[in-house]
Structures are given as C-alpha cells and as structure tokens.
Amino acid sequence: MSRPVEITTPGGLSLVYEQARALPLTDFVLVWRSGAVADGEHAGATRLLARLLRRGPRGLTPARVDETLSSLGARLSIVTARESVRVYGSVLARNTGAFLSLLGRLLCEPALRAKDLARERRRILGELSEEREDDGTLAERHHRAHMFGTHAYGRPIGGHEKSVRGVRRETLQTLHARHYRKGNLFFGISSPHPSAELVAQLDDAFAGAPSGKRALPRLQSLRHRPGRRVRIVQRSGRNQCQLAVGTLGAAKGDPARTALIVGDYAFGGLFSSPLVQEVRGARGWSYSAQSVLRLGQARESWTFWTHPQADRAAACAALELELMERLVACGPSAEDLQLAKRYLIGSRALDIDTAARRTELALEARYEGKPLDWPHGYEGRIRGVKRKAIQEAFERCIDPAAARITAVGDAKLLAQAFEKLPGVTHVEVVQP
Amino acid sequence: QSWVGVGSRDEEPGRTGLAHFFEHLMFVGTERFPPGEFDRELEAIGAEFNAATWTDWTQYYATFRSKELERVLELEADRFANLALGEAQIASEREVVISERRDRVDDDVNGKAGELLFRLAFRKHGYGHPTIGWMKDIRRYDRTGCRAFAKRHYRPGRAALVVAGKLDAQHTLELVQAHYGGLTRARKRPRLRRPEPAQRRERRVTTTLPAEAEKLLIGYKAPAITERDWRVLAVAGDLLLGGRSGSLYRELVLDAELATSAYGSLTPFEQPGLYEVGLSMRPGQSAETALGRVDAAMARLADHGPSQDALERAKARSELALLSSAGGVSGRAEQVGFDVTVLGQPLSLDARIDAYRSVSATDVQRAARAYFRASGRSVVVVKPEPS
C-alpha cells in the first residue's frame, strides 16, 4: 500500500500528497486554521465568510462559478467547523489544473460583494428558521448552550438570528485577512497526476495567499459546576423527546486522549456496548443510542444521545446517569474493553482503504502538529490502553454529579419526572 | 453484502413494514449465535455492518479485512438459515421500530410530508405505503407473521451474495459453497403484482404541520430504472435541480430567493416510480408561487430542450458522481448488489458512464414532455401550524 508524502512547495505551501491511480479522479481537501471559535462576538461570521467565498472572486459571478465547476465535473464544499474550515473538492482528473486555478481565485481574491452578503444573510436566516423544525438539530444547539453557556463552544457555528444580522462586510474582510495565510493552510491531494505537476499548479493557483500564520484564539477551559441541571426545550405535540445527557469532557491535548477514545467506544460506540444494550437492546426505548466524545483545543464534551418516548424520558436519563456513574467508578468491564480495542484496531483498515482517506488522515495529523506518520502508530496506541487508565481518565474528566441534561419535547409531559431525578438541582423550560 | 429481492412493495395491506421489521430481526440471533453474539462477533473483527430496506430490496452489508471473510460468511449463512425468532426479541424490536418511526416520520415534518406524497401518488401499488410501515401495522407484528414472511421471501432464488475486495476468486467460491451449499434450491415465487392504474389528473393535498414555513412536494410519475428513459429523466432532473447550477435551483433558491432549499430526486425503483421535487420555502413565501415557477421551468425544458452547454455540464456531474461512488470497496459491492437485484445483471462503470453520455438534448426534451406533466403529478403543500 502506498503512503502519503509531505511536500513543502517552492511557494511555501504545505501539501500532503498520494498518487492514486485507481480512478481518473482527483480528491482535494484543504484544512484551514480558522473556524467558528474565531467568530468572537459575531457568532456565525466564519460560516458566512465561507458561504461568500463560494460566491466568487472579483470578476466572476456566482452563477459563472457554479457553471464552471459543473463543466469541469467538479464538486466543491466549504464546511465550517468549530476549530477549522474545511474545503472538500473532487474533480475529473483531466480537469485538475483548471479546478485548482478556480479554487485559488475563490479563496485568494474573494469579492465579498455587499449584494452577495445580503443574499447569503437572508438565506442563512431562512435556514436558521427551518432548523427549528428539526428536534435533533434543536437538541444539539441547546445542549451546547446548556453545557458551555457563553464560552465559544456554546455558540452555534451558524450563529443566531441577531448575530447573523449584525455581521458587516468589514467583519468578513478582517476575518479573511487575519486567518487566510499560507501558514494556516494545509493541503491534501490524491490524484493520478504526479506530484511535480500538482505542486506547480498549486503554487500558481495560491500564489496570491499572503504569507505568515495566525493562531486561533486561545480558549479558556471550563470547570464542572456541581449539580445536575435540566433544560427542556418546549415542543408541543411531540410523541417522544430528543434527549442529551452529558458533561464536560477533555481537550485534544489530554495525555489520556487514547484511553478516553477507547473508553467511549467501550461504553457507547458499538451495538454491543452497554449504553446501546441497556437502552435499545434490553428495553427497546430508543432506536438510536450512542455516546459522543468530542475533543477540542480546550475541554470539550461527552454526551449520550437517545430519543425515548416522552413518558420514559426521565427513566432513560436516570439509567444513562447510572451507567455513567458506574463507568467513572469502575471503568469498562474487561470484556467491553477488549471488544472496543479489537473493533478499533480491526476497523482501521476501512479508514485507510483509499488514497483519499489516507491523505486526509495524514493531513489531520499535520494540522494537529503531529508527525506525518502519526496514523501508523494508531494500532500500538490502542493496544496499549489499560482498563485502569480509562477509569482514571474518566474519573478525572467526567463528573456525573455535574451532568447537563437537555430534552426537546413537551414540557407538560417531561418536567415533573425530570425534577425527581436524583441530584437534579434545577429544571428550566425554554422556547426553541 | 447480502441482497434479498423483497421490500415494502411486496407487503399486503395490514402487514406494512414487515420487510423492514424482518431486517431488524435478522440481527437477533440463532441457536448457534445467541442474541447479541452476531453483533459482538462482527465488532470483534472490526467490521462496519448494518442493513437497509426500501421498496424493492433488503440489503445487509459488512465491510471488513479480507482475511476475515470466512468468519463473516459463516455468520451470514447461519442467520439466513437458522434465525431464532423469540417472542421477547420480537417485542423488544417492535418497540425499537416504533421509536424509529416516531423519530423519522411522526415527529419529523419532512418525513411526514414525504409519506403523504407517496400515499397520494400510489393508490394501489405497494410503493404507496411507507417502508417503515403504518404504526397500527407495526404494533401487530407477531412471530407467526414474521415466520410466514421469511418462508415466503427469504429463499435462495431471491437472494444475491456479493463479495468484493482483494480476494482469490476460486478460494472465495469454495468458501461460499462450504457455507451456503447446504441450502436447498427453492422455487422462485412471483412477486406480488399490484399495477398502479394510469393517473389522468393532478392529485393535490394541503396539510398543516408544525413547520416554520411552507413546503412543497411534487411527485411526477416516472419510468422504472430498467427503462432507458430513466437515465434520460435523471439528466433532465439534474439540469433543473442538480446542485447550484441546476436552472430551477438557481432560480428558486439563489435568484428569486423563494426557497431555502430545493432538491430533485428520481426514485431508483424496479417499477415505475416518481421524480420528486421538494422545496422548503423561506418564511413568508408561498408554495403556490413556487409551483408556478416549477411549471414554467419544466415547460421551458419541454418546449426548447436544454442548451448543449447545460447538457454537457449535467453529464460531467453524472460522470463525477459515478466515479466517486466507485472509490471504495463497499460502494462497488453496493452497486453490483443493486444491479443484480433490481436490473438483473451487473453493469460496468464504463457502461454506466456511457449510458449518461449517450443522452441527447432531443432525448431530454422528449422526456420532459412525457413525464413533467401536471396531469401525472401529485402535489403536497405543507402549511405551518398557526403559532
């Protein structure tokens, strides 16, 4: 199996590249050090900027951009995450040069036209309104606000109506100038074309990117606040509720990062794991049940997601809290741990079965400041995790007594039962 | 991957959702691998696995390292032959499916609107009821019904096994023979036939749901995927709503700013299905106005056909989509499984790309005239509940 290589181009760009001969297709990814944490007081500004980049550079209308991409047989998406912006593209290999050239113009010379800003703003406001229809999206948004409050992690990536209305063209120009720098751009390409050809095309396309780099704002790490708090997001006429039970978790740089990842899988990442077995297998309470461990630059979260019937929601939350307490006190069972490790090691083959996937993994490592071959040490790191290390990591990072519970559903059916949950100090009902 | 030629279109009234429910039951265990053991065994080898059911088929898939093939075949063959259906598992799985239905349909505006559209468009054919089934039917599932379903539909003549990856073909066939060779050949029973009578007038329903703005769903009667016109209509649909350069998408979402989102989707069904158009209106915008724009755009395509540039762009997008889906081993296996189950034989990637390349502007114009007709469509208008 071939492996990605790292190239610093003569123009000073960082590229991870692997030649891929299986299909006449070029896959492209750019991880840009930016993201919603850079929004400051203008929640949603980075996402709005990403949308406007897609609308074209000076001298090219949005319609022309879309038509050009289509005629090249290309797909392009710009995704704003919390701590990065990711540009994904695929193009028929014969059109790779033209695609890179267009992409360079989109990112280096954005027009950021006032007319386009007004249009995108109206569109995002429509989408924010539509998001209120979806209980899962509402649960995610409210749970983050419940957990993180005014911290940058508590702000929605897309912003909210007031903040989006307040974003000015100058805000976007400043954001672009501050973060769009060569040292903040990490390119990954898998393609049938040889690297020399791509390097020349990439340098040519991105020659206009200013040099230098800019770190993301340093985020404060939150501490647990004691007491279990419940937030009910009122939705009348619902048969069931979207339920999130979680606590603050850990940062990417936590020394026990691998132990936490393995522990999360052992607890709620597999069909056979205790969370899924207890909630879905034994009781049939929720079609889906899973735990999600997020790791950020600062301390992130650990959350269990289920959607039980309203009259079982409090019982489901109680069961999840009990399982959380047990994990923190005792760690996973030897059997659950063994299974999670075997799964994580065995399934790795599926993460590296195409050049595009291998390239993205290597690129991710570089973005995090790790060596290019960091992904190759994966199996050894997983194998080395001990049960005791997991228990200690969860005991240090997770506090079940400070859990935050968010339920989207009918408060009339939910509130009383949640008030009776052990350790609950506060129940509030909010509007979506 | 195991593909079984049974889906929700094969279900009798009163027993809707049984194909999907049985898909869930295929994970409950056998005498040899008691409940939970199947999942544990696959997870222990690092397999990604799950299943899916739609109108024409049920698919079970597992992706894993090649060296684990024999273990997977052993597990897969065992559950196809020796599934143990206990009352307790059926009761628990019934609750899970009720929860799934609530999540995806009853508490979901788009899920509910989609269900309404298909019910409106298909009055007799099995495509008219939801794959997950009506709630009243789900509540009635029992062991006898499930066993009868399995006996009728889970037969060797109805199933296809697809193995893709870096493998020795001869050795793989020997392994398949070793694990599946004990199955007895069964007579292939014909599938339930309930042809949909021709639709001669537009059908329309207006409903109120907990939405933030109006929604519009339109279903135009469309050809089966086995017909050449299916690909022609796919190109026509792509010209209108294939991403941001689709003319109708651009008009409704980007230029006139009537809708927040718009999609077009052609059902890949073995029998005649729908070309579905879905719009989420911006707050305060009316679905009725958007319908007028949809009509005008379709009339333009039917009257003048596409420009050569637009057609070439649509073909380039199709080529990209086909190449992208062939990138991983599971995508390739899925394509073969679908082809064998629905089309009767696998198609090569080149043949697939050539089929799109051969579509002409005249073809598109003819298909737009034939299928984008008001008399052959069903329309669902969703109005927000008063706050």
Side-chain angles (χ1 to χ4, degrees), chain A residues 80-136:
Chain A
T80 307
R82 221 161 275 285
E83 292 174 328
S84 65
V85 171
R86 278 148 202 267
V87 181
Y88 294 99
S90 295
V91 60
L92 300 177
R94 59 181 182 264
N95 298 326
T96 303
F99 172 75
L100 290 175
S101 173
L102 174 63
L103 192 57
R105 286 191 67 195
L106 291 176
L107 300 181
C108 296
E109 317 156 19
L112 304 180
R113 290 174 278 256
K115 188 175 71 179
D116 289 339
L117 170 59
R119 279 182 183 275
E120 279 303 335
R121 191 201 314 279
R122 289 194 293 271
R123 185 163 178 212
I124 287 176
L125 291 173
E127 289 169 359
L128 289 174
S129 164
E130 196 181 351
E131 276 181 11
R132 286 197 291 269
E133 281 173 9
D134 184 68
D135 290 359

Side-chain angles (χ1 to χ4, degrees), chain A residues 20 59 88 90 115 154 169 201 203 213 224 228 237 239-240 252 346 365 422 430:
Chain A
Y88 294 99
S90 295
K115 188 175 71 179
R169 186 166 177 246
Q201 288 169 343
D203 267 349
K213 63 178 171 185
H224 291 295
R228 289 174 173 167
N239 298 290
Q240 58 187 16
K252 269 183 190 165
V430 300

Side-chain angles (χ1 to χ4, degrees), chain A residues 197-276:
Chain A
E197 190 181 325
L198 292 167
V199 163
Q201 288 169 343
L202 200 63
D203 267 349
D204 190 40
F206 288 86
S211 56
K213 63 178 171 185
R214 173 90 181 208
L216 288 174
R218 184 168 285 279
L219 301 176
Q220 164 208 3
S221 264
L222 293 178
R223 292 174 172 213
H224 291 295
R225 283 179 298 156
R228 289 174 173 167
R229 300 172 75 91
V230 178
R231 178 173 291 182
I232 298 172
V233 184
Q234 171 57 21
R235 299 291 278 168
S236 50
R238 292 296 194 265
N239 298 290
Q240 58 187 16
C241 91
Q242 296 290 331
L243 180 65
V245 175
T247 82
L248 293 175
K252 269 183 190 165
D254 193 292
R257 168 182 173 154
T258 308
L260 287 162
I261 291 170
V262 175
D264 173 52
Y265 266 89
F267 178 81
L270 302 172
F271 287 124
S272 306
S273 53
L275 177 70
V276 185

